[in-house]
Amino acid sequence: MNCPFCRHDDSRVIDSRPTEEGTAIRRRRECTQCGSRFSTQETSILAIIKRSGATEPFSRDKVINGVRKACQGRPVNDDDLALLAQRVEETLRATGQAEIEAQEVGLAILAPLRELDEVAYLRYASVYRNFSSLDDFEGEIALLRAAPSVQKDNSPMKNSLQNI
């Protein structure tokens, strides 16, 4: 690590602490030449490989914006969406891979979205899985009925698909 004061290319770590819920490390360093102290922050980068082959860093905001469209008009608040995006990121990081296909991001969204709101899940899945007929919707609804998700007790979504 280069010293920001004298530009010397060697420093020693004095202290390391996890920050941002353990997703980053803050290090206190001392330059071995001039003795100045400075801080650095290290984070691991999770890269998403798009269908075009281009890569970009993972963005919770992109997950939230994509899911927000499916949740439009549903009883889902911003905190729920932020938690969903966090769960998606944790799922992707747990794979141990530095680069993830965009397709995997979409798959990682489906399970927590189903728990959050089954109607929003159905909307998202219909676009993500390219539903092309009523049979596709009926098949997915049958799967939802066969294996109901665990939802919050205070959610008005409880048993929402029973009347369809």
Side-chain angles (χ1 to χ4, degrees), residues 115-157:
E115 290 174 18
L116 180 62
D117 187 291
E118 288 179 334
V119 173
Y121 164 82
L122 194 58
R123 289 175 178 172
Y124 185 86
S126 71
V127 173
Y128 185 73
R129 293 184 177 157
N130 296 321
F131 286 9
S132 59
S133 70
L134 189 56
D135 291 338
D136 294 336
F137 280 95
E138 289 173 345
E140 195 66 33
I141 290 170
L143 288 174
L144 287 170
R145 286 183 176 147
S149 65
V150 178
Q151 295 181 351
K152 296 183 274 186
D153 288 338
N154 63 352
S155 173
M157 283 304 305

Side-chain angles (χ1 to χ4, degrees), residues 61 63-73 77-78 81 123:
D61 290 335
V63 170
I64 290 170
N65 290 335
V67 172
R68 181 174 278 132
K69 292 173 189 167
C71 294
Q72 197 167 14
N77 63 40
D78 288 341
L81 294 176
R123 289 175 178 172

Side-chain angles (χ1 to χ4, degrees), residues 17-115:
R17 295 180 188 200
T19 60
E20 298 178 21
E21 300 173 6
T23 62
I25 296 176
R26 180 184 172 275
R27 297 195 192 279
R28 190 74 181 141
R29 297 177 176 272
E30 181 177 53
C31 177
T32 57
Q33 183 165 336
C34 72
S36 296
R37 292 186 174 191
F38 57 98
S39 295
T40 59
Q41 187 166 333
E42 299 174 20
T43 59
S44 63
I45 296 174
L46 183 60
I48 305 303
I49 305 169
K50 301 182 86 166
R51 278 184 254 154
S52 66
T55 60
E56 64 181 42
F58 175 82
S59 169
R60 285 186 185 181
D61 290 335
K62 279 191 148 185
V63 170
I64 290 170
N65 290 335
V67 172
R68 181 174 278 132
K69 292 173 189 167
C71 294
Q72 197 167 14
R74 302 299 307 154
V76 176
N77 63 40
D78 288 341
D79 290 340
D80 293 333
L81 294 176
L83 185 59
L84 180 137
Q86 179 182 344
R87 287 182 60 194
V88 169
E89 183 176 5
E90 288 170 355
T91 299
L92 296 173
R93 287 190 183 279
T95 66
Q97 299 174 335
E99 293 183 338
I100 307 275
E101 298 278 340
Q103 176 81 6
E104 294 299 316
V105 177
L107 292 174
I109 289 170
L110 289 172
L113 182 56
R114 181 178 176 185
E115 290 174 18

